[in-house]
């Protein structure tokens, strides 16, 4: 049955930022596919709701939270390391709601250390979850957007591109920056192919956000609530496609573009001013010859001639 509400798939929605995205998009009129690989029987979780940054928070508890607040959500199991699992997730979304309007990729694996101290298995895990999982998810949803006359939005949790980001976490940065390259490149595809109702945008926190990865009590004063991230993404989804397509944004900076000037409500501890962790300015990725493509090459056409 075709949903009367716009439908958002949120990949990596079992806890933390992903959970907050699912809840806030539901509050703003979306039917939500809550996707991740953490599952449970929500009727046996006590107390309820669980700590949103704990292992007790799963796609099933998030689904229950949304439904008990009169929202529309469906939990769908997905392993982003497995393309067949990703394809089943998209197929289930269509089976349940009949449409997909938004795809948010929040799934991620993290390991911050030097190259020497990052084992090959850890590197491969990060690549399979981060850039590979994103690429597979996009490959699975693009045919759905094509059926919808190329109308839709993709949001990727990945950073702006600058050299300081590589320091001390090169293996992790290789994957996350690759995700941002995908945002820039697919954005160019949409533009050159005249798909003016499509947009892909990356977003990253300007200031650290409360999550399972930021549980050190000493850091609480420098944390913001995850609601800043969902507010920024909702603003992106409401912006004209051509103003956000191919952009690498920070949550605070994007909200400032929409007129927000006071961020006090996002501080985890009231009255604190969390330290900004991202640069104030980023290098330009464009060149003077930006529009000069030379002779276009399409390997699919070359392969067809063989």
């Amino acid at each position: 049955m075709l949903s009367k509400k716009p439908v958002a798939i949120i990949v990596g929605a079992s806890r933390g930022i992903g959970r907050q995205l699912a809840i806030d998009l539901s509050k703003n009129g979306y039917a939500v596919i809550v996707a991740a690989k953490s599952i449970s029987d929500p009727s046996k979780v006590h107390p309820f709701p669980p700590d949103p940054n704990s292992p007790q928070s799963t796609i099933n508890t998030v689904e229950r939270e949304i439904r008990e607040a009169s929202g529309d959500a469906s939990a769908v199991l997905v392993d982003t390391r497995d393309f067949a699992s990703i394809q089943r997730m998209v197929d289930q979304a269509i089976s349940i709601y009949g449409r997909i309007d938004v795809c948010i990729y929040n799934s991620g694996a993290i390991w911050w250390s030097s190259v020497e101290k990052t084992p090959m298995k850890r590197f491969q895990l990060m690549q399979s979850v981060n850039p590979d999982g994103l690429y597979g998810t996009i490959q699975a949803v693009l045919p759905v957007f094509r059926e919808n006359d190329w109308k839709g939005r993709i949001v990727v949790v990945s950073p702006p591109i600058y050299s300081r980001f590589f320091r001390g976490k090169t293996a992790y940065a290789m994957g996350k920056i690759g995700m941002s390259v995908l945002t820039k490149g697919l954005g160019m595809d949409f533009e050159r192919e005249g798909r003016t109702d499509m947009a892909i945008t990356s977003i990253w926190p300007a200031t650290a956000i409360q999550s399972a990865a930021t549980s050190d009590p000493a850091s609480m004063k420098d944390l913001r609530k995850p609601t800043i991230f969902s507010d920024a993404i909702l603003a992106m989804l409401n912006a004209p496609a051509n103003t956000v397509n191919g952009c690498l944004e920070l949550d605070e900076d994007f909200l400032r573009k929409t007129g927000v000037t006071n961020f006090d409500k996002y501080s985890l501890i009231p009255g604190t001013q969390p330290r900004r962790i991202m640069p104030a300015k980023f290098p330009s990725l464009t060149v003077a010859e930006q529009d000069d493509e030379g002779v276009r090459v399409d390997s699919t056409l070359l392969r067809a001639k063989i």
Side-chain angles (χ1 to χ4, degrees):
M1 185 175 69
L2 184 65
S3 172
K4 294 182 179 179
K5 296 180 177 180
V7 176
I9 288 184
I10 304 176
V11 185
S14 59
R15 59 181 65 94
I17 291 173
R19 168 194 166 274
Q20 193 68 52
L21 287 172
I23 288 173
D24 288 347
L25 263 67
S26 173
K27 289 178 179 177
N28 281 269
Y30 284 84
V32 180
I33 294 290
V34 183
K37 63 183 181 68
S38 299
I39 59 174
S40 66
D41 181 345
S43 67
K44 296 180 179 179
V45 175
H46 303 287
F48 191 89
D51 178 343
N53 297 308
S54 73
Q56 285 68 48
S57 184
T58 69
I59 58 173
N60 306 99
T61 63
V62 175
E63 176 193 57
R64 179 183 163 187
E65 283 189 76
I66 291 172
R67 290 187 173 185
E68 288 186 354
S70 301
D72 192 350
S74 297
V76 174
L77 177 67
V78 66
D79 183 345
T80 57
R81 298 167 297 180
D82 178 7
F83 183 62
S85 178
I86 293 171
Q87 188 63 65
R88 285 194 297 271
M89 171 191 69
V90 172
D91 291 344
Q92 282 183 260
I94 294 299
S95 176
I96 296 167
Y97 292 117
R99 61 190 286 183
I100 298 171
D101 301 273
V102 172
C103 178
I104 300 174
Y105 195 84
N106 178 60
S107 187
I110 185 171
W111 179 267
W112 285 15
S113 192
S114 66
V115 173
E116 178 188 2
K117 296 177 181 178
T118 303
M120 190 64 187
K121 284 188 177 180
R122 181 67 63 174
F123 173 79
Q124 290 174 325
L125 171 64
M126 287 191 289
Q127 303 315 299
S128 64
V129 173
N130 298 343
D132 291 5
L134 171 63
Y135 195 88
T137 300
I138 288 176
Q139 282 284 305
V141 298
L142 283 179
V144 179
F145 291 138
R146 182 177 61 236
E147 290 297 316
N148 193 36
D149 295 325
W150 292 112
K151 295 177 182 177
R153 299 295 180 91
I154 301 169
V155 178
V156 180
V157 179
S158 67
I161 301 173
Y162 66 104
S163 63
R164 193 186 75 182
F165 190 81
F166 315 155
R167 186 186 301 154
K169 52 183 182 295
T170 301
Y172 173 75
M174 287 172 67
K176 297 304 285 190
I177 294 300
M179 295 167 72
S180 298
V181 171
L182 180 49
T183 292
K184 299 297 289 187
L186 181 55
M188 291 177 182
D189 286 352
F190 290 154
E191 183 179 353
R192 75 204 295 237
E193 292 162 7
R195 295 169 184 172
T196 55
D197 291 320
M198 286 296 306
I200 179 170
T201 314
S202 281
I203 183 170
W204 197 252
T207 295
I209 291 175
Q210 183 188 32
S211 70
T214 56
S215 57
D216 181 2
S219 70
M220 296 297 108
K221 70 180 189 312
D222 284 322
L223 298 182
R224 281 179 170 157
K225 301 173 185 177
T227 47
I228 188 173
F229 220 65
S230 51
D231 283 356
I233 287 177
L234 282 162
M236 287 177 177
L237 298 179
N238 290 327
N242 67 333
T243 65
V244 294
N245 182 41
C247 295
L248 310 178
E249 298 283 358
L250 298 180
D251 52 4
E252 176 184 330
D253 295 359
F254 188 79
L255 286 172
R256 287 188 183 279
K257 294 177 185 178
T258 68
V260 177
T261 58
N262 190 326
F263 293 83
D264 291 349
K265 68 177 182 178
Y266 297 118
S267 295
L268 182 62
I269 298 177
T272 60
Q273 295 294 322
R275 183 180 72 88
R276 183 181 173 103
I277 60 173
M278 297 299 285
K281 293 183 179 181
F282 296 93
S284 171
L285 300 179
T286 60
V287 295
E289 301 84 2
Q290 189 73 8
D291 296 327
D292 182 6
E293 292 191 57
V295 178
R296 288 193 181 188
V297 176
D298 186 337
S299 294
T300 59
L301 300 178
L302 296 175
R303 178 63 63 89
K305 295 178 181 179
I306 298 176

